[in-house]
Amino acid sequence: MEQLIPINIVVSDRSYRIKIRPEEEEEVRRIMKEVNEKIVDFKTSYAGKDQQDYIAMALIMYATHPGTSGGKAQAVTAPFLHEKLEKLEEIINQALG
C-alpha cells in the first residue's frame, strides 16, 4: 500500500487537508501558490464577482492552459490532480451551498 502524508493547502484564504504522496508535496504546494496568485489576479481584473467565481476561474484556467506549470504537470500527475480538484470543488460547493 502506498504511503500518503496529510498536508494542509490553502485556496483563497481557506485551508483544506489532503493526503498526497511525499514526493508530490513540493509540486502541490508550488501549484497551489500559483493558483492563489491567479485568484488574486482575477479579483483585480474582474471586480464584483464572488469568491467562488474567482476560484473557479483560476482553477479552470490553470488546469486547462498548456502554458502553465499545471498544464505541464498534468502529463505526470493528471490522475492525482484531477481527483484532488474534484474533491476540492466538492468541498467548496458544500461550504458555499
Side-chain angles (χ1 to χ4, degrees), residues 2-5 19-26 28 76-77 80:
E2 193 170 13
Q3 172 87 24
L4 299 177
I5 60 168
K19 290 186 178 184
I20 61 171
R21 294 187 298 263
E23 64 272 14
E24 296 170 329
E25 182 175 7
E26 183 179 334
V28 168
V76 176
T77 60
F80 163 77

Side-chain angles (χ1 to χ4, degrees), residues 82-97:
H82 181 70
E83 176 186 328
K84 297 302 175 188
L85 286 171
E86 283 181 348
K87 182 65 177 170
L88 190 58
E89 180 181 23
E90 178 183 320
I91 290 168
I92 291 168
N93 286 336
Q94 286 175 354
L96 296 172

Side-chain angles (χ1 to χ4, degrees), residues 11-63:
V11 178
S12 191
D13 300 326
R14 293 194 65 174
S15 181
Y16 300 94
R17 190 162 186 83
I18 63 171
K19 290 186 178 184
I20 61 171
R21 294 187 298 263
E23 64 272 14
E24 296 170 329
E25 182 175 7
E26 183 179 334
E27 183 71 5
V28 168
R29 290 191 186 281
R30 186 184 59 71
I31 289 170
M32 293 314 302
K33 181 179 183 220
E34 289 179 17
V35 168
N36 282 304
E37 289 170 354
K38 195 49 134 172
I39 290 169
V40 171
D41 289 346
F42 281 127
K43 281 182 183 180
T44 304
S45 299
Y46 301 100
K49 301 276 186 190
D50 70 12
Q51 195 65 15
Q52 185 175 2
D53 290 333
Y54 298 128
I55 293 167
M57 291 163 62
L59 292 177
I60 291 167
M61 188 282 318
Y62 192 85

